[in-house]
Amino acid sequence: MTSPTTAPTAPETWDAVVVGGGVAGLAAALMLGRARRRVLVLDAGAPRNRFTAHMHGVLGRDGTSPARLLADGRDEVASYGGVVRTAEVTDARADESSVVVTTADGATHRGRHLVVATGLRDELPAVEGLARFWGRGVAHCPYCDGYEVRDQRLVVLGNGPASVGQAQLIRQWSERLTYVVHDAPAPTPEERAALEARGIVVEAGRAVRAEAGPGPDGERLAALVLDDGRTLEVDAVFTAPRPRLGDDLLLRLGAERADGGTGPGGALPGAVPVDMLGRTSVPRVWAAGNVVAAYANVPVAIAAGTMAGAGVNHALVEEEVAAAVAATRSAVA
Ligand SMILES: Cc1cc2nc3c(=O)[nH]c(=O)nc-3n(C[C@H](O)[C@H](O)[C@H](O)COP(=O)(O)OP(=O)(O)OC[C@H]3O[C@@H](n4cnc5c(N)ncnc54)[C@H](O)[C@@H]3O)c2cc1C
């Protein structure tokens, strides 16, 4: 006899649909699969770190290619019955008991809960030739890429008020550092003095072009041309791209971005707030990873997805307890 706590779900209704099959989405799906939930992952196949061949700072997988990690993650999800499909989700609607997503080919998928793990897009400073070196010579995160260029000729390309701080941070990896102010506010006299006190050369102008040179695997970033015509020879450029959160589906579902954000110390203005488990303000809708936390690296995104997967399972258990109790009461009445 089927117990009310395990009432069969309609075959077309998944326990959870996960949109985004990067590390956050796959981690959520892994938890759900291991909790014996029917989970569907829909993934457009463009993870944020696809531009780089190796990832770092990921305990146990340091130096692994991001593509390898995701392939392993998809296999792990599939081994517990999870289904991962390549598809772009273009719309999502929630009702009282489920969430329905629509993919670009017009198909719809219904889930009792939805996890949005759609990441973000990095908008680089507009410098000719810079984007082709993104992830291989141009980077944002020194914990990801700093060690590999330690002691080399580095540039921090200013892109906002936090850029002076980024230059002071990058100085930890090399003494041969130039700060090109570019799109950042001009450093105050105190900031300039602090930069120079640590041997950081300050260039007040803008970068106009990134140039290539011969490298071990074909072309590599070799120089930045400044607006006064001078050329800086460089081994790597660090900058802070503007994060464009991929939260359209969350906003469509009625979530709102908060001023304070969810980053450490509220450091991420403009993100949809989530609780520790990734629960948004919209019933049945959860979010994890870069889509709500631009600061999250791979381990942090995995942790957030893990929490969201467990959170969804707990919410499902609560619903099933309530349904079982109601069914028992009506049987007795
Ligand atoms: C160049 C670079 C190098 C990096 N190196 C490191 C490193 O060395 N170590 C480290 O820890 N971190 C690194 N990171 C950070 C890392 O990329 C992120 O922490 C991680 O990708 C966040 O995972 P996520 O699952 O939140 O998002 P993502 O990995 O971006 O995954 C989101 C997924 O959702 C999909 N998607 C988006 N919208 C839709 C939609 N509408 N429908 C269906 N699917 C959708 C995307 O195609 C993508 O596959 C690097 C980032 C960059 C840019």
Side-chain angles (χ1 to χ4, degrees):
M1 195 181 109
T2 307
S3 137
T5 54
T6 55
T9 309
E12 70 278 9
T13 301
W14 300 86
D15 288 322
V17 172
V18 178
V19 183
V23 288
L26 290 176
L30 181 62
M31 293 295 275
L32 286 156
R34 286 185 50 76
R36 310 178 70 193
R37 297 297 183 183
R38 298 181 66 248
V39 58
L40 171 68
V41 180
L42 298 168
D43 181 41
R48 182 182 173 203
N49 54 359
R50 64 190 179 280
F51 303 94
T52 190
H54 306 282
M55 57 182 188
H56 294 280
V58 183
L59 188 66
R61 301 300 292 262
D62 193 61
T64 305
S65 89
R68 177 75 261 158
L69 182 73
L70 290 178
D72 289 350
R74 285 192 293 268
D75 287 349
E76 287 166 0
V77 168
S79 74
Y80 296 103
V83 176
V84 183
R85 287 191 198 145
T86 302
E88 187 195 354
V89 173
T90 51
D91 196 13
R93 311 268 153 175
D95 60 32
E96 263 183 26
S97 59
S98 63
V99 183
V100 178
V101 300
T102 307
T103 51
D105 60 3
T108 56
H109 303 274
R110 183 180 294 275
R112 293 167 68 190
H113 285 252
L114 175 72
V115 180
V116 177
T118 40
L120 64 77
R121 188 171 51 80
D122 292 287
E123 193 176 285
L124 287 167
V127 173
E128 186 190 327
L130 196 73
R132 64 196 271 232
F133 296 110
W134 181 230
R136 47 182 205 104
V138 179
H140 70 301
C141 161
Y143 302 101
C144 306
D145 297 301
Y147 191 83
E148 285 61 41
V149 293
R150 62 194 181 281
D151 299 328
Q152 297 187 21
R153 297 163 302 180
L154 307 184
V155 163
V156 167
L157 185 62
N159 199 30
S163 294
V164 166
Q166 188 182 27
Q168 289 288 15
L169 178 67
I170 299 297
R171 171 64 181 74
Q172 171 63 18
W173 280 267
S174 180
E175 291 180 350
R176 301 157 77 194
L177 177 59
T178 302
Y179 175 48
V180 178
V181 174
H182 194 67
D183 272 345
T188 64
E190 293 75 24
E191 287 171 336
R192 179 181 274 271
L195 291 163
E196 290 172 351
R198 296 184 78 212
I200 301 169
V201 177
V202 179
E203 292 285 356
R206 301 177 59 79
V208 292
R209 194 166 62 253
E211 289 187 341
D217 312 314
E219 285 193 336
R220 66 169 187 89
L221 173 67
L224 267 191
V225 180
L226 303 181
D227 57 358
D228 62 7
R230 283 178 303 134
T231 296
L232 291 182
E233 292 185 357
V234 296
D235 298 304
V237 169
F238 286 85
T239 191
R242 292 191 208 293
R244 299 296 178 206
L245 303 176
D247 57 5
D248 316 18
L249 294 174
L250 293 173
L251 302 181
R252 250 168 214 265
L253 283 159
E256 286 178 13
R257 291 175 171 172
D259 289 342
T262 56
L268 183 60
V272 168
V274 291
D275 71 8
M276 223 185 95
L277 294 170
R279 197 191 312 257
T280 70
S281 60
V282 182
R284 305 185 172 279
V285 178
W286 308 68
N290 276 168
V291 65
V292 287
Y295 59 84
N297 67 354
V298 166
V300 174
I302 290 175
T306 302
M307 293 297 273
V312 169
N313 185 50
H314 277 259
L316 289 167
V317 168
E318 279 171 20
E319 287 167 23
E320 286 153 7
V321 170
V325 169
T328 307
R329 281 196 187 131
S330 64
V332 169

